[in-house]
Amino acid sequence: ETGVTQSPTHLIKTRGQQVTLRCSSQSGHNTVSWYQQALGQGPQFIFQYYREEENGRGNFPPRFSGLQFPNYSSELNVNALELDDSALYLCASSLSLAGGETQYFGPGTRLLVL
Amino acid sequence: AQTVTQSQPEMSVQEAETVTLSCTYDTSENNYYLFWYKQPPSRQMILVIRQEAYKQQNATENRFSVNFQKAAKSFSLKISDSQLGDTAMYFCAFMKHARSQRQGGSEKLVFGKGTKLTVNP
């Protein structure tokens, strides 16, 4: 167990709907990164939050957005869901200091878009 | 842009034997970090081992060790005395050294597509 939690564990939505996924970072960590893992693939970086601001973004459209709260927990929001958004969404927390800090992953949220 | 390649989609090994998983990467960076993560069927990604590129000595964690060849951009994982609990997807990942202290935060992980390892009794 890494101390990183995510909710919900599973979610079923229909095309066009909006979804919010939540992540609680490990105690003492100040950075949360979100990844999308399609079936049979490695995780792909969506974006990162550091000190409540977006701090880097992967190749994902603006309908993917997020927040980080003062307690360093984070949300991932996806608007106008598409079938290809079906995936496992992973958050990872870390303590950003000098670089290269290990990211610790939560169990993920499995999203199915019908 | 960095890329990570895992050329073995699936591997199997007998319990108590040794297996090596391959990983190559492409980067123009000189300072970076490499990781192996394990994702069991329960799906939580767990860190297995990490290597700093500036360190010549290969990292070791109990039964897990790496063979880091910086010039060849190769980073293989050796699992000794394989156990049934080692059955999982294994992902190799790359991270650049962080941006300047002024910017803060950390760099993203770039993952390979993974190797599915099955340990047979």
Side-chain angles (χ1 to χ4, degrees):
Chain A
E1 296 295 325
T2 62
V4 181
T5 61
Q6 291 186 245
S7 63
T9 55
H10 294 83
L11 206 50
I12 300 175
K13 292 286 188 178
T14 56
R15 214 167 30 168
Q17 284 188 312
Q18 178 266 343
V19 68
T20 297
L21 310 181
R22 294 177 177 84
C23 172
S24 291
S25 58
Q26 187 169 311
S27 177
H29 285 182
N30 58 10
T31 302
V32 173
S33 303
W34 286 92
Y35 294 84
Q36 180 195 66
Q37 187 178 15
L39 200 61
Q41 302 293 319
Q44 297 288 319
F45 176 72
I46 303 174
F47 46 53
Q48 181 185 98
Y49 277 84
Y50 171 69
R51 292 184 176 177
E52 302 179 51
E53 291 188 0
E54 188 179 290
N55 187 52
R57 188 178 186 92
N59 189 26
F60 282 81
R63 59 189 185 85
F64 285 78
S65 64
L67 285 172
Q68 187 180 34
F69 300 99
N71 67 354
Y72 303 118
S73 65
S74 178
E75 286 183 356
L76 164 65
N77 300 291
V78 187
N79 293 322
L81 282 166
E82 300 177 359
L83 297 179
D84 284 349
D85 296 332
S86 295
L88 180 66
Y89 288 85
L90 298 168
C91 80
S93 78
S94 57
L95 174 61
S96 297
L97 293 172
E101 288 80 22
T102 297
Q103 295 185 10
Y104 295 91
F105 284 83
T109 295
R110 174 75 66 188
L111 173 64
L112 177 61
V113 182
L114 301 176
Chain B
Q2 290 76 33
T3 59
V4 176
T5 302
Q6 294 180 248
S7 58
Q8 305 150 316
E10 292 191 39
M11 293 192 72
S12 63
V13 64
Q14 292 299 120
E15 200 174 3
E17 293 188 347
T18 295
V19 64
T20 299
L21 309 183
S22 301
C23 172
T24 58
Y25 58 95
D26 189 26
T27 185
S28 58
E29 301 285 330
N30 190 47
N31 294 326
Y32 51 87
Y33 306 85
L34 296 162
F35 304 82
W36 279 98
Y37 281 90
K38 166 186 176 182
Q39 189 176 41
S42 66
R43 82 183 178 217
Q44 184 150 10
M45 195 86 74
I46 303 165
L47 176 70
V48 175
I49 200 165
R50 61 173 274 154
Q51 175 79 42
E52 291 83 359
Y54 63 84
K55 290 187 178 178
Q56 292 185 338
Q57 187 172 5
N58 289 325
T60 300
E61 286 289 343
N62 301 314
R63 298 182 295 108
F64 299 88
S65 61
V66 298
N67 183 4
F68 173 49
Q69 301 289 327
K70 190 173 183 180
K73 295 179 183 175
S74 170
F75 183 61
S76 60
L77 174 70
K78 184 171 85 171
I79 306 174
S80 304
D81 185 25
S82 296
Q83 301 176 359
L84 296 178
D86 295 334
T87 292
M89 285 292 294
Y90 285 81
F91 292 97
C92 178
F94 172 99
M95 178 192 286
K96 290 194 302 184
H97 185 66
R99 60 203 73 185
S100 70
Q101 287 294 312
R102 179 177 58 83
Q103 289 177 284
S106 69
E107 289 295 331
K108 65 181 179 183
L109 286 164
V110 177
F111 287 88
K113 290 189 175 181
T115 295
K116 182 179 180 181
L117 176 67
T118 302
V119 180
N120 299 308

